Amino acid sequence: MMAAIAAAGEGAKVVLLERTARLGLKLQISGGGRCNVTNDEGDPRRLVRMFPGGGRRLLNAFHAFGKEDLLELLRRRGVETVVEAPYGKVFPASDKSTDILDALQAEMRDLGVDVRLNTRVSGVDVEDGHVAAVRTESYVFPCRAAILCVGGKSMPKSGSSGDGYAIARAVGHTVTDLFPSLVPLKVEGVGGLAGVALRDVEGIVLVDGKKADGPFRGDMLFTHSGLSGPVVLQLSRAACEALRRGATAEVRIALRPGATAEDVDADLRQRFASRAAAQVVTVIAELMPKAAAALFLSNLGVGADRPVSQLSREERRRLVEGLLAWRFPVTGWLSFDIAEVTAGGVDLGEVDPKTFESRIVKGLFWAGEVLDVDGYVGGYNLQAAWSTGWAAGKGAARAAMEGGL
């Protein structure tokens, strides 16, 4: 939609081909239906650091169309936004993702964009190194410029099932290895805690014993198969990438972010001194949900029903260590069906970083998640979609009109 708006705004005749029965399915379900439309970070140099995949190649796009440009477009359409602390997430003030979708559709209508629903693209025709047409299952659309914004493999129910990668390979593009990002992780032995949350914790991920990403602070959620929640989703990319290449991955969760071992030990000794006859699990449950406390103690080899007065110094040391780094070896990840983002995609070295035009096929442009671009939680991935779509739309319009369309 943003690519269509940018191209039509340049005066080009634009047809938008949508595979599903309605526009913006993934947009509508983002942020739990609230739509974390962007992030409050406005400096492109800092923004690119929030993309472990392809960040540096987005610098030009963020300069050309950034957060303020998006918010101004939305304000013109009557959509006010709010910033949520502490992570700078930007949402529509109404908390309705449909307001964002309505604004984009209104912009397209006013610019004369021709929207075709239930139209699945099957390929791109190339003649003499230049795009000549876009093929669907029932029609061929001749064109001088085409933009593929078909998404990745994540959340296929939204219409993005990986079609773009086959099209990219067919015209000679390289597609880098694909794996899920922002996805729940599998760990063993936590199924009994499904639905239990740990609030305001801090997490890191280790790959082959060395820190690979983090720390990230927020909430964590136990699931039937492992771990989820904002902290885990942030760490999932590094964990998935490690497992994919045969390395080990371990998530470590600090239940006392920012505290030192001395701080935690002093706190435990004070709690134990005032509750000498209490069971260990009762005291530890003051620091986390009781169900989680039982598993926590079991993992550390500390008897949950023992009086705290009977704990040895070594056992107290293990408690301190566990509160600062509860360890969860990662065994896998859940599927692309629920992953929020696809890591990997069309090789960014094969596209122009200013217009996202293919270096292989003239007049063919790429934008959004089909590219080898992926960011952290916080509205970053949507901002990448807006910015790359805008850049590709402008570039495609110029390419089309130079060809006489």
Side-chain angles (χ1 to χ4, degrees):
M1 288 184 285
M2 187 60 76
I5 288 168
E10 291 291 303
K13 179 182 178 181
V14 180
V15 179
L16 188 156
L17 307 179
E18 165 60 42
R19 172 180 172 174
T20 70
R22 54 181 175 151
L23 293 172
L25 282 172
K26 195 168 186 179
L27 187 65
Q28 290 182 67
I29 62 178
S30 68
R34 298 174 59 213
C35 190
N36 180 190
V37 67
T38 186
N39 191 275
D40 197 41
E41 176 56 70
D43 186 338
R45 293 168 299 178
R46 288 197 292 266
L47 195 55
V48 297
R49 298 173 192 164
M50 303 309 292
F51 290 81
R56 288 180 300 173
R57 299 295 184 100
L58 297 176
L59 188 61
N60 287 312
F62 289 147
H63 275 293
F65 189 86
K67 171 199 70 172
E68 289 302 328
D69 300 298
L70 170 68
L71 298 184
E72 175 56 30
L73 187 158
L74 294 176
R75 279 192 292 267
R76 284 197 290 103
R77 290 292 172 181
V79 180
E80 297 298 326
T81 56
V82 294
V83 179
E84 266 192 17
Y87 304 111
K89 296 180 179 181
V90 179
F91 293 89
S94 65
D95 274 345
K96 295 179 180 178
S97 61
T98 51
D99 286 355
I100 306 298
L101 179 59
D102 289 346
L104 297 176
Q105 291 187 113
E107 192 81 359
M108 288 194 299
R109 280 195 301 272
D110 287 355
L111 290 168
V113 175
D114 180 3
V115 177
R116 310 285 183 94
L117 302 177
N118 295 308
T119 304
R120 182 174 183 172
V121 171
S122 57
V124 174
D125 291 340
V126 178
E127 295 178 2
D128 298 324
H130 198 290
V131 66
V134 171
R135 283 180 283 106
T136 71
E137 295 167 332
S138 58
Y139 192 79
V140 176
F141 291 85
C143 60
R144 289 286 299 172
I147 311 168
L148 270 69
C149 323
V150 292
K153 291 183 66 175
S154 56
M155 293 188 182
K157 65 182 180 181
S158 69
S160 56
S161 58
D163 291 0
Y165 306 128
I167 297 172
R169 294 186 182 104
V171 299
H173 271 286
T174 303
V175 177
T176 63
D177 289 346
L178 306 171
F179 57 96
S181 182
L182 307 189
V183 65
L185 298 175
K186 292 182 179 180
V187 302
E188 295 181 350
V190 301
L193 296 182
V196 174
L198 301 179
R199 305 296 183 187
D200 192 27
V201 298
E202 188 173 80
I204 62 171
V205 62
L206 282 75
V207 171
D208 285 343
K210 297 180 180 180
K211 179 182 169 183
D213 206 358
F216 295 107
R217 189 163 176 172
D219 297 341
M220 190 197 86
L221 179 70
F222 290 100
T223 71
H224 290 289
S225 58
L227 310 177
S228 188
V231 167
V232 172
L233 296 184
Q234 299 283 47
L235 299 171
S236 64
R237 194 220 196 251
C240 291
E241 194 278 333
L243 294 178
R244 183 185 60 82
R245 58 182 173 82
T248 64
E250 179 183 82
V251 169
R252 293 187 182 179
I253 299 296
L255 289 97
R256 296 285 302 275
T260 65
E262 292 75 16
D263 295 334
V264 176
D265 186 54
D267 179 53
L268 284 180
R269 284 190 285 108
Q270 184 178 27
R271 291 174 186 271
F272 291 168
S274 63
R275 309 279 297 282
Q279 294 180 328
V280 178
V281 70
T282 301
V283 178
I284 295 300
E286 297 171 356
L287 303 173
M288 67 183 79
K290 187 171 183 178
L295 177 64
F296 173 79
L297 293 170
S298 174
N299 288 352
L300 294 175
V302 177
D305 58 355
R306 290 179 59 199
V308 296
S309 59
Q310 295 181 9
L311 289 180
S312 67
R313 179 178 296 178
E314 167 60 20
E315 288 172 319
R316 196 177 75 237
R317 184 196 65 77
R318 293 207 301 270
L319 290 175
V320 170
E321 184 179 88
L323 289 167
L324 291 175
W326 191 351
R327 302 182 180 197
F328 298 96
V330 180
T331 60
W333 58 79
L334 296 193
S335 70
F336 274 111
D337 289 347
I338 62 172
E340 294 186 17
V341 173
T342 303
V346 175
D347 191 333
L348 290 168
E350 297 175 355
V351 299
D352 185 308
K354 292 184 178 180
T355 65
F356 296 92
E357 183 177 16
S358 168
R359 297 187 191 277
I360 295 170
V361 179
K362 295 295 293 180
L364 181 61
F365 295 75
W366 302 89
E369 196 177 341
V370 70
L371 291 164
D372 183 11
V373 169
D374 60 282
Y376 292 120
V377 173
Y380 301 109
N381 289 291
L382 274 181
Q383 184 59 56
W386 311 132
S387 298
T388 58
W390 183 266
K394 294 285 187 181
R398 288 192 289 270
M401 291 189 291
E402 286 170 5
L405 294 181

